[in-house]
Amino acid sequence: MSLVETCPAGSLRPAGPPGRPPVVPWLTGTLAVLVLGLYALGPAVGVPLLTEREAILAGELWRLLTGHLVHTDLGHLIPDLGVWLVFGALYETAPGRGRVGRLAVTVLVGALAVGLWLVACEPAIERYAGLSGLLNTVAAVGLIDLWRATGRPLFLVALISTGVKIAAELAIGGAVIDTAAWPAVPGAHLAGFAAGLALAAAWWKTTPRPAGAA
Amino acid sequence: MRMRTMTMIAAGALALGAWAGPVAAAGLLTPVGGGVPPLELKDHLVEVVVEDGYAVTIVEQRFHNPHPRDLEALYAFPVPEAAAVSEFTYWIDGRPVTGEVLPKQQARTVYEEEKAAGRATALTEQDGHRDFEIRVTPVRAGDEVRIRLGYIQPARLDTGVGRYVYPLAEGNVDEAANAFWHMNDQVTGRFRFALTLRLAAPVSAVRLPAHPDAEIRRRGDGWFTVTLGDPPTPNDDRPRDHADAALVPAALPAATRSPAPISGSPRRLDTDIVVYWRLAEGQPGQVELVTHKPDAEGEGTFMLVVTPGDDLAPIDRGTDWTFVLDRSGSMRDGKIAHLRDGVRQALARLGARDRVRLIAFNNAAQDLSGGLVPATPAVVRQLDALVGQIGADGGTNLYDGLRLAQEGTDADRTSAILLVTDGVANVGETEQRAFLDLVRQRDIRLFTFIMGNGANRPLLAALTEATNGHAVGVSTADDIVGVLLGALGKVGHQAFHDVALALDGIETFDVVPDPIGSIYRGEQLVVFGRYRGAGMADLTVRGRVSGRPVEYRTRFAVPATATRNPELERLWAFARVEAAMTEIHTFGETPDRRAAVEALAVAHGLVTPYTSMLVVEEDVFAERGLARTTAERVADEQAARAARAAGPVVAHRVDQAAPAFASAQPSYGGGAGAGGGNVGLLGLLASAALGWAGMRARRS
């Protein structure tokens, strides 16, 4: 008996029943280790990775993605990393095919959406760091996924609450409760959230439904 | 005999005037109605170099006596902020003789003895916080005398903007002195002000708000020259960096403004010269170290400048602003107009969540707004009209103004008192100790705008420090908008409090300031100290921001020897003197405290309220057994200045390899914002709850 089987797309995945999630959320863990490692290495390592407007416009495009991995202080790192571990692991370990791939796409699309928003729409923000804009993408995709998978209205309410929170942040021009040294950027949260809603809409038909749902 | 009699009369008149003290402005003084004819202020030539974190100012003057008898010259000028007078030279028989610092009474005695003996002598004294006085004798009939004075002061940046003030304006703070003295502030010969800026960081703009006729030339990214007045002549002693055009890269643009025409009319020394320079946007938060250590085995001196990154978040929950405005007679003329302009512009910038209160004081304090009121557009319009009507008269009951400001404050809201005053408390309570007791009664930050020259800076600085607030000097030649933006930016953002600094790896001692206190947005932390040893040092800057601890670290090398900046020893000593003087103002003068200041000032050649700089003929120094330590120090510093001027601009940043700050320095440009993706603890808790709910829902 072969330990691996070929999936339709031609890639390899662990043997087992179709749709069974991986036991270990390795993508979530890898990203968390990366974020922790960058923080532990100190601010000097993070400086060339920040989402820095002028540098991006000068061609340092990697900063669109890498700035999300850099955090300024523990008050910034701990909440962001905690939320990532919860939503990342929940999504990655959920039943269904291609969860790792979808999470990776979610992260990439969210990171790009936030980065491009900052460059295009936030000229006063010269540099940006942190996962939270991207976490709004993951949260939107994850909450819609949970709502669709379980049918529980709690997750729809949580999704709407996230939108309301972002609207409140936009209204007051900052975070409702701020724990980081750098001020929050509500526009980045909005861009991330909108990207998440767009992804969820694109994946609507392929999102699992609760048993018995029409 | 007649000449001697007249000199005696002049000296007697001057002595009579001593009770009144001088006036806080620049010029030659003669007693009003004293029968002493005025001297001419012939030349007034100022050279300033701002480099390596401090400014060196050299003022050369010639006094002319057009009268048929010998006279004594008395020249007074305001004490520049944090300035240590470090050089005083008097040309005797055409040869420059550099002064020596002695205890004040000893210097005065020697001066009087030399004057009585008819020998050439000169003296520079400090009169409290207000003036430096220069006495020169004899100014021979129909002849002139030449003197040179030098002082050094730290050149700090605030929110990316540097500021240098050459104080000249009338302080109006002492009515008795104003009534006694006639001040001749007209320069009949040449007047020139030249400032050279040599910074490692790129400078985007240089500005003199009150002197649009200044010529500003850009010679490099951080290298500018500013000139005002008459052009130099070949006979002038001038630093090489002004003359050496060959050092200027050819590709750089020419003058940004055409040279001003040479004025044929006398120039008055009645307006401060304020020079601003703004760094280019996006300069990194950084740590700079300047050292002086001539002997590898000996002790060295360091100046550590920490410019934090823009890590302080705005406070957007609304602030209670209490403006406490001095409308006493000493605020008349330019100062009261500047006050009105500044407060009106500040009112226009308040947010809808803010509350505001206006208190004005002269002989007594008065609440103009009727307590704290919401800063709605209608209220702001009403208050604006009230401010426009504020006039200046009466005495200065500063204590009553601060007492009233502390009443009715709300402990649950961010509160700030903005005190705008020239700080000469002369009605009601005037003891510094009582003021300190008052401001410590409530936890409210005091932000002080010290208006004009002659202000009681020691008192205002002590009050501000006691409340962890911030003090800023304001000249009538300042851009009031810029001053306000800086202050509002500080109150409107979080601040670093309880800041402490540790430098491990080398032995440091006699560090000032100690304790450090608070650092507001845009402020630099400048620390002076002494050290032994050399090698790698670990710097840790700790503090608290909104109650949570923050820490910045870096590692850099401390050199075993350094001789580029000998002035550091005097800057360090002056910082120690200032700290000691604060203690004296607060707790009173004791023989020990006075002796400590005297010893430090004499050892380092500094003019203080307790020490003066004396020039006598060269052989008289030897006859009187006066050591020439200050002269040697001045010679070392002059040689170092010449070497610096001939060499390239040097960067002192030491944390490039391990940056202490991730973000850029704050600036006024609006483009230096930094943002953090931050979901907050609330987001974390909500996510944890949702995660738990999601897991349960899946299992069921």
Side-chain angles (χ1 to χ4, degrees), chain B residues 412-448:
Chain B
D412 295 332
R413 284 173 62 89
T414 303
S415 300
I417 295 175
L418 275 68
L419 172 65
V420 188
T421 180
D422 60 13
V424 184
N426 54 21
V427 175
E429 183 60 71
T430 57
E431 287 298 317
Q432 181 161 315
R433 191 65 191 269
F435 276 91
L436 290 173
D437 290 342
L438 174 70
V439 297
R440 284 175 177 145
Q441 287 174 8
R442 306 277 177 95
D443 182 23
I444 302 175
R445 308 269 180 264
L446 182 63
F447 292 80
T448 310

mmCIF file of all heavy atoms in Angstrom, chain B residues 412-448:
data_model
loop_
_atom_site.group_PDB
_atom_site.id
_atom_site.type_symbol
_atom_site.label_atom_id
_atom_site.label_comp_id
_atom_site.label_asym_id
_atom_site.label_seq_id
_atom_site.Cartn_x
_atom_site.Cartn_y
_atom_site.Cartn_z
ATOM 1 N N ASP B 412 -9.966 62.479 35.926
ATOM 2 C CA ASP B 412 -10.208 61.398 34.970
ATOM 3 C C ASP B 412 -9.843 61.768 33.537
ATOM 4 O O ASP B 412 -9.925 60.935 32.647
ATOM 5 C CB ASP B 412 -11.696 60.992 35.013
ATOM 6 C CG ASP B 412 -12.059 60.391 36.360
ATOM 7 O OD1 ASP B 412 -11.136 59.823 36.992
ATOM 8 O OD2 ASP B 412 -13.221 60.521 36.775
ATOM 9 N N ARG B 413 -9.513 63.020 33.309
ATOM 10 C CA ARG B 413 -9.178 63.432 31.944
ATOM 11 C C ARG B 413 -7.724 63.880 31.858
ATOM 12 O O ARG B 413 -7.141 64.320 32.846
ATOM 13 C CB ARG B 413 -10.088 64.598 31.498
ATOM 14 C CG ARG B 413 -11.501 64.142 31.141
ATOM 15 C CD ARG B 413 -12.403 65.331 30.868
ATOM 16 N NE ARG B 413 -11.979 66.149 29.737
ATOM 17 C CZ ARG B 413 -12.345 65.958 28.472
ATOM 18 N NH1 ARG B 413 -13.136 64.949 28.162
ATOM 19 N NH2 ARG B 413 -11.935 66.765 27.513
ATOM 20 N N THR B 414 -7.164 63.754 30.645
ATOM 21 C CA THR B 414 -5.818 64.261 30.413
ATOM 22 C C THR B 414 -5.858 65.782 30.530
ATOM 23 O O THR B 414 -6.665 66.431 29.871
ATOM 24 C CB THR B 414 -5.336 63.875 29.006
ATOM 25 O OG1 THR B 414 -5.410 62.466 28.886
ATOM 26 C CG2 THR B 414 -3.909 64.336 28.771
ATOM 27 N N SER B 415 -5.024 66.318 31.409
ATOM 28 C CA SER B 415 -5.049 67.763 31.650
ATOM 29 C C SER B 415 -3.666 68.358 31.443
ATOM 30 O O SER B 415 -2.667 67.715 31.762
ATOM 31 C CB SER B 415 -5.502 68.069 33.079
ATOM 32 O OG SER B 415 -6.796 67.565 33.299
ATOM 33 N N ALA B 416 -3.644 69.559 30.929
ATOM 34 C CA ALA B 416 -2.376 70.255 30.758
ATOM 35 C C ALA B 416 -2.586 71.732 31.050
ATOM 36 O O ALA B 416 -3.606 72.307 30.656
ATOM 37 C CB ALA B 416 -1.850 70.077 29.341
ATOM 38 N N ILE B 417 -1.632 72.308 31.762
ATOM 39 C CA ILE B 417 -1.627 73.756 31.973
ATOM 40 C C ILE B 417 -0.593 74.351 31.033
ATOM 41 O O ILE B 417 0.563 73.930 31.029
ATOM 42 C CB ILE B 417 -1.284 74.103 33.430
ATOM 43 C CG1 ILE B 417 -2.380 73.594 34.372
ATOM 44 C CG2 ILE B 417 -1.102 75.607 33.595
ATOM 45 C CD1 ILE B 417 -2.062 73.797 35.835
ATOM 46 N N LEU B 418 -1.033 75.289 30.204
ATOM 47 C CA LEU B 418 -0.110 75.983 29.306
ATOM 48 C C LEU B 418 0.145 77.371 29.872
ATOM 49 O O LEU B 418 -0.718 78.241 29.808
ATOM 50 C CB LEU B 418 -0.703 76.085 27.891
ATOM 51 C CG LEU B 418 -0.474 74.860 26.991
ATOM 52 C CD1 LEU B 418 -1.252 73.665 27.495
ATOM 53 C CD2 LEU B 418 -0.843 75.158 25.565
ATOM 54 N N LEU B 419 1.309 77.525 30.455
ATOM 55 C CA LEU B 419 1.663 78.789 31.094
ATOM 56 C C LEU B 419 2.484 79.631 30.126
ATOM 57 O O LEU B 419 3.519 79.194 29.638
ATOM 58 C CB LEU B 419 2.480 78.498 32.361
ATOM 59 C CG LEU B 419 3.108 79.698 33.057
ATOM 60 C CD1 LEU B 419 2.038 80.641 33.599
ATOM 61 C CD2 LEU B 419 4.015 79.227 34.191
ATOM 62 N N VAL B 420 1.972 80.831 29.830
ATOM 63 C CA VAL B 420 2.686 81.731 28.929
ATOM 64 C C VAL B 420 3.092 82.956 29.741
ATOM 65 O O VAL B 420 2.242 83.731 30.162
ATOM 66 C CB VAL B 420 1.800 82.156 27.743
ATOM 67 C CG1 VAL B 420 2.627 82.923 26.721
ATOM 68 C CG2 VAL B 420 1.143 80.948 27.103
ATOM 69 N N THR B 421 4.389 83.123 29.979
ATOM 70 C CA THR B 421 4.836 84.191 30.878
ATOM 71 C C THR B 421 6.284 84.541 30.621
ATOM 72 O O THR B 421 7.020 83.748 30.035
ATOM 73 C CB THR B 421 4.683 83.730 32.353
ATOM 74 O OG1 THR B 421 5.120 84.773 33.222
ATOM 75 C CG2 THR B 421 5.490 82.477 32.631
ATOM 76 N N ASP B 422 6.669 85.742 31.099
ATOM 77 C CA ASP B 422 8.098 86.052 31.115
ATOM 78 C C ASP B 422 8.686 85.713 32.478
ATOM 79 O O ASP B 422 9.859 85.948 32.723
ATOM 80 C CB ASP B 422 8.368 87.498 30.723
ATOM 81 C CG ASP B 422 7.700 88.496 31.652
ATOM 82 O OD1 ASP B 422 7.240 88.078 32.723
ATOM 83 O OD2 ASP B 422 7.636 89.679 31.304
ATOM 84 N N GLY B 423 7.828 85.193 33.355
ATOM 85 C CA GLY B 423 8.288 84.517 34.551
ATOM 86 C C GLY B 423 8.940 85.360 35.620
ATOM 87 O O GLY B 423 9.716 84.858 36.414
ATOM 88 N N VAL B 424 8.635 86.646 35.675
ATOM 89 C CA VAL B 424 9.228 87.469 36.722
ATOM 90 C C VAL B 424 8.164 87.678 37.799
ATOM 91 O O VAL B 424 7.420 88.647 37.770
ATOM 92 C CB VAL B 424 9.720 88.811 36.155
ATOM 93 C CG1 VAL B 424 10.421 89.623 37.232
ATOM 94 C CG2 VAL B 424 10.671 88.546 35.003
ATOM 95 N N ALA B 425 8.069 86.717 38.720
ATOM 96 C CA ALA B 425 7.066 86.817 39.775
ATOM 97 C C ALA B 425 7.473 87.897 40.759
ATOM 98 O O ALA B 425 8.548 87.828 41.353
ATOM 99 C CB ALA B 425 6.940 85.478 40.482
ATOM 100 N N ASN B 426 6.626 88.923 40.908
ATOM 101 C CA ASN B 426 6.985 90.013 41.821
ATOM 102 C C ASN B 426 5.825 90.484 42.674
ATOM 103 O O ASN B 426 5.921 91.476 43.381
ATOM 104 C CB ASN B 426 7.574 91.199 41.034
ATOM 105 C CG ASN B 426 6.655 91.659 39.912
ATOM 106 O OD1 ASN B 426 5.456 91.388 39.947
ATOM 107 N ND2 ASN B 426 7.205 92.341 38.920
ATOM 108 N N VAL B 427 4.685 89.793 42.603
ATOM 109 C CA VAL B 427 3.537 90.121 43.460
ATOM 110 C C VAL B 427 3.097 88.829 44.126
ATOM 111 O O VAL B 427 3.083 87.769 43.497
ATOM 112 C CB VAL B 427 2.366 90.716 42.633
ATOM 113 C CG1 VAL B 427 1.141 90.935 43.519
ATOM 114 C CG2 VAL B 427 2.786 92.020 41.964
ATOM 115 N N GLY B 428 2.698 88.921 45.412
ATOM 116 C CA GLY B 428 2.253 87.731 46.129
ATOM 117 C C GLY B 428 3.435 86.820 46.436
ATOM 118 O O GLY B 428 4.555 87.280 46.670
ATOM 119 N N GLU B 429 3.187 85.527 46.416
ATOM 120 C CA GLU B 429 4.229 84.553 46.721
ATOM 121 C C GLU B 429 5.278 84.539 45.609
ATOM 122 O O GLU B 429 4.941 84.465 44.431
ATOM 123 C CB GLU B 429 3.586 83.161 46.843
ATOM 124 C CG GLU B 429 4.537 82.053 47.228
ATOM 125 C CD GLU B 429 5.209 82.302 48.579
ATOM 126 O OE1 GLU B 429 4.496 82.203 49.598
ATOM 127 O OE2 GLU B 429 6.417 82.592 48.581
ATOM 128 N N THR B 430 6.551 84.628 45.989
ATOM 129 C CA THR B 430 7.610 84.630 44.972
ATOM 130 C C THR B 430 8.696 83.587 45.253
ATOM 131 O O THR B 430 9.624 83.447 44.468
ATOM 132 C CB THR B 430 8.290 86.016 44.875
ATOM 133 O OG1 THR B 430 8.807 86.354 46.169
ATOM 134 C CG2 THR B 430 7.317 87.089 44.422
ATOM 135 N N GLU B 431 8.575 82.866 46.358
ATOM 136 C CA GLU B 431 9.600 81.877 46.691
ATOM 137 C C GLU B 431 9.462 80.634 45.821
ATOM 138 O O GLU B 431 8.371 80.078 45.685
ATOM 139 C CB GLU B 431 9.487 81.472 48.167
ATOM 140 C CG GLU B 431 9.974 82.533 49.131
ATOM 141 C CD GLU B 431 11.454 82.847 48.939
ATOM 142 O OE1 GLU B 431 12.237 81.894 48.766
ATOM 143 O OE2 GLU B 431 11.809 84.039 48.940
ATOM 144 N N GLN B 432 10.559 80.187 45.258
ATOM 145 C CA GLN B 432 10.521 79.018 44.372
ATOM 146 C C GLN B 432 9.984 77.788 45.094
ATOM 147 O O GLN B 432 9.239 76.993 44.519
ATOM 148 C CB GLN B 432 11.925 78.742 43.828
ATOM 149 C CG GLN B 432 11.978 77.556 42.881
ATOM 150 C CD GLN B 432 13.221 77.585 42.014
ATOM 151 O OE1 GLN B 432 13.590 78.615 41.474
ATOM 152 N NE2 GLN B 432 13.860 76.435 41.871
ATOM 153 N N ARG B 433 10.336 77.634 46.368
ATOM 154 C CA ARG B 433 9.898 76.454 47.128
ATOM 155 C C ARG B 433 8.369 76.403 47.200
ATOM 156 O O ARG B 433 7.758 75.337 47.063
ATOM 157 C CB ARG B 433 10.516 76.522 48.527
ATOM 158 C CG ARG B 433 10.369 75.255 49.337
ATOM 159 C CD ARG B 433 11.141 74.126 48.670
ATOM 160 N NE ARG B 433 10.827 72.842 49.244
ATOM 161 C CZ ARG B 433 11.508 72.309 50.259
ATOM 162 N NH1 ARG B 433 12.522 72.956 50.781
ATOM 163 N NH2 ARG B 433 11.165 71.145 50.727
ATOM 164 N N ALA B 434 7.750 77.577 47.435
ATOM 165 C CA ALA B 434 6.285 77.629 47.530
ATOM 166 C C ALA B 434 5.650 77.277 46.183
ATOM 167 O O ALA B 434 4.617 76.576 46.126
ATOM 168 C CB ALA B 434 5.856 79.025 47.963
ATOM 169 N N PHE B 435 6.255 77.721 45.099
ATOM 170 C CA PHE B 435 5.737 77.372 43.770
ATOM 171 C C PHE B 435 5.804 75.856 43.558
ATOM 172 O O PHE B 435 4.869 75.246 43.044
ATOM 173 C CB PHE B 435 6.565 78.071 42.681
ATOM 174 C CG PHE B 435 6.129 79.475 42.395
ATOM 175 C CD1 PHE B 435 6.675 80.544 43.070
ATOM 176 C CD2 PHE B 435 5.148 79.723 41.452
ATOM 177 C CE1 PHE B 435 6.272 81.840 42.802
ATOM 178 C CE2 PHE B 435 4.726 81.020 41.183
ATOM 179 C CZ PHE B 435 5.296 82.079 41.866
ATOM 180 N N LEU B 436 6.912 75.278 43.969
ATOM 181 C CA LEU B 436 7.064 73.830 43.771
ATOM 182 C C LEU B 436 6.031 73.062 44.588
ATOM 183 O O LEU B 436 5.440 72.085 44.109
ATOM 184 C CB LEU B 436 8.484 73.403 44.149
ATOM 185 C CG LEU B 436 9.571 73.879 43.191
ATOM 186 C CD1 LEU B 436 10.958 73.569 43.739
ATOM 187 C CD2 LEU B 436 9.405 73.223 41.822
ATOM 188 N N ASP B 437 5.806 73.517 45.821
ATOM 189 C CA ASP B 437 4.776 72.867 46.651
ATOM 190 C C ASP B 437 3.413 72.965 45.978
ATOM 191 O O ASP B 437 2.617 72.028 46.017
ATOM 192 C CB ASP B 437 4.732 73.511 48.037
ATOM 193 C CG ASP B 437 5.973 73.184 48.849
ATOM 194 O OD1 ASP B 437 6.676 72.221 48.484
ATOM 195 O OD2 ASP B 437 6.249 73.910 49.824
ATOM 196 N N LEU B 438 3.135 74.108 45.368
ATOM 197 C CA LEU B 438 1.837 74.314 44.716
ATOM 198 C C LEU B 438 1.642 73.366 43.530
ATOM 199 O O LEU B 438 0.610 72.688 43.434
ATOM 200 C CB LEU B 438 1.730 75.771 44.246
ATOM 201 C CG LEU B 438 0.489 76.112 43.419
ATOM 202 C CD1 LEU B 438 -0.763 76.070 44.306
ATOM 203 C CD2 LEU B 438 0.610 77.506 42.792
ATOM 204 N N VAL B 439 2.623 73.316 42.643
ATOM 205 C CA VAL B 439 2.405 72.537 41.417
ATOM 206 C C VAL B 439 2.424 71.034 41.680
ATOM 207 O O VAL B 439 1.929 70.247 40.874
ATOM 208 C CB VAL B 439 3.431 72.890 40.315
ATOM 209 C CG1 VAL B 439 3.291 74.328 39.891
ATOM 210 C CG2 VAL B 439 4.859 72.566 40.740
ATOM 211 N N ARG B 440 2.977 70.640 42.820
ATOM 212 C CA ARG B 440 3.010 69.206 43.137
ATOM 213 C C ARG B 440 1.708 68.727 43.780
ATOM 214 O O ARG B 440 1.547 67.536 44.028
ATOM 215 C CB ARG B 440 4.181 68.915 44.080
ATOM 216 C CG ARG B 440 5.526 68.912 43.354
ATOM 217 C CD ARG B 440 6.663 68.738 44.314
ATOM 218 N NE ARG B 440 7.935 68.671 43.607
ATOM 219 C CZ ARG B 440 9.071 69.173 44.077
ATOM 220 N NH1 ARG B 440 9.105 69.754 45.261
ATOM 221 N NH2 ARG B 440 10.192 69.082 43.379
ATOM 222 N N GLN B 441 0.772 69.659 44.044
ATOM 223 C CA GLN B 441 -0.481 69.254 44.691
ATOM 224 C C GLN B 441 -1.358 68.413 43.773
ATOM 225 O O GLN B 441 -2.144 67.590 44.232
ATOM 226 C CB GLN B 441 -1.251 70.499 45.137
ATOM 227 C CG GLN B 441 -0.628 71.186 46.339
ATOM 228 C CD GLN B 441 -1.326 72.494 46.674
ATOM 229 O OE1 GLN B 441 -2.373 72.817 46.106
ATOM 230 N NE2 GLN B 441 -0.738 73.240 47.601
ATOM 231 N N ARG B 442 -1.278 68.618 42.484
ATOM 232 C CA ARG B 442 -2.088 67.866 41.527
ATOM 233 C C ARG B 442 -1.174 67.241 40.479
ATOM 234 O O ARG B 442 -0.110 67.778 40.187
ATOM 235 C CB ARG B 442 -3.094 68.783 40.806
ATOM 236 C CG ARG B 442 -3.996 69.592 41.705
ATOM 237 C CD ARG B 442 -5.190 68.765 42.149
ATOM 238 N NE ARG B 442 -6.028 69.516 43.071
ATOM 239 C CZ ARG B 442 -7.098 70.212 42.727
ATOM 240 N NH1 ARG B 442 -7.462 70.252 41.464
ATOM 241 N NH2 ARG B 442 -7.821 70.859 43.612
ATOM 242 N N ASP B 443 -1.664 66.143 39.885
ATOM 243 C CA ASP B 443 -0.876 65.471 38.839
ATOM 244 C C ASP B 443 -1.242 66.079 37.485
ATOM 245 O O ASP B 443 -1.981 65.493 36.705
ATOM 246 C CB ASP B 443 -1.148 63.969 38.867
ATOM 247 C CG ASP B 443 -0.304 63.244 37.829
ATOM 248 O OD1 ASP B 443 0.744 63.789 37.440
ATOM 249 O OD2 ASP B 443 -0.705 62.137 37.415
ATOM 250 N N ILE B 444 -0.754 67.286 37.260
ATOM 251 C CA ILE B 444 -1.041 67.979 35.997
ATOM 252 C C ILE B 444 0.279 68.422 35.389
ATOM 253 O O ILE B 444 1.129 68.989 36.079
ATOM 254 C CB ILE B 444 -1.929 69.226 36.223
ATOM 255 C CG1 ILE B 444 -3.234 68.819 36.892
ATOM 256 C CG2 ILE B 444 -2.215 69.927 34.901
ATOM 257 C CD1 ILE B 444 -4.110 69.998 37.250
ATOM 258 N N ARG B 445 0.435 68.164 34.102
ATOM 259 C CA ARG B 445 1.668 68.563 33.422
ATOM 260 C C ARG B 445 1.643 70.071 33.141
ATOM 261 O O ARG B 445 0.622 70.605 32.700
ATOM 262 C CB ARG B 445 1.804 67.830 32.090
ATOM 263 C CG ARG B 445 1.652 66.343 32.206
ATOM 264 C CD ARG B 445 2.970 65.657 32.440
ATOM 265 N NE ARG B 445 2.778 64.222 32.542
ATOM 266 C CZ ARG B 445 2.659 63.563 33.689
ATOM 267 N NH1 ARG B 445 2.685 64.206 34.842
ATOM 268 N NH2 ARG B 445 2.512 62.246 33.699
ATOM 269 N N LEU B 446 2.747 70.700 33.396
ATOM 270 C CA LEU B 446 2.877 72.132 33.131
ATOM 271 C C LEU B 446 3.748 72.320 31.888
ATOM 272 O O LEU B 446 4.896 71.869 31.852
ATOM 273 C CB LEU B 446 3.523 72.809 34.340
ATOM 274 C CG LEU B 446 3.698 74.313 34.286
ATOM 275 C CD1 LEU B 446 2.339 75.013 34.197
ATOM 276 C CD2 LEU B 446 4.441 74.799 35.522
ATOM 277 N N PHE B 447 3.170 72.967 30.886
ATOM 278 C CA PHE B 447 3.922 73.283 29.665
ATOM 279 C C PHE B 447 4.139 74.794 29.657
ATOM 280 O O PHE B 447 3.182 75.557 29.609
ATOM 281 C CB PHE B 447 3.150 72.823 28.420
ATOM 282 C CG PHE B 447 3.061 71.336 28.327
ATOM 283 C CD1 PHE B 447 2.117 70.637 29.069
ATOM 284 C CD2 PHE B 447 3.943 70.624 27.548
ATOM 285 C CE1 PHE B 447 2.055 69.257 29.017
ATOM 286 C CE2 PHE B 447 3.891 69.240 27.480
ATOM 287 C CZ PHE B 447 2.940 68.559 28.226
ATOM 288 N N THR B 448 5.391 75.173 29.732
ATOM 289 C CA THR B 448 5.709 76.580 29.939
ATOM 290 C C THR B 448 6.306 77.201 28.689
ATOM 291 O O THR B 448 7.264 76.675 28.124
ATOM 292 C CB THR B 448 6.708 76.716 31.105
ATOM 293 O OG1 THR B 448 6.204 75.976 32.218
ATOM 294 C CG2 THR B 448 6.874 78.164 31.503
#
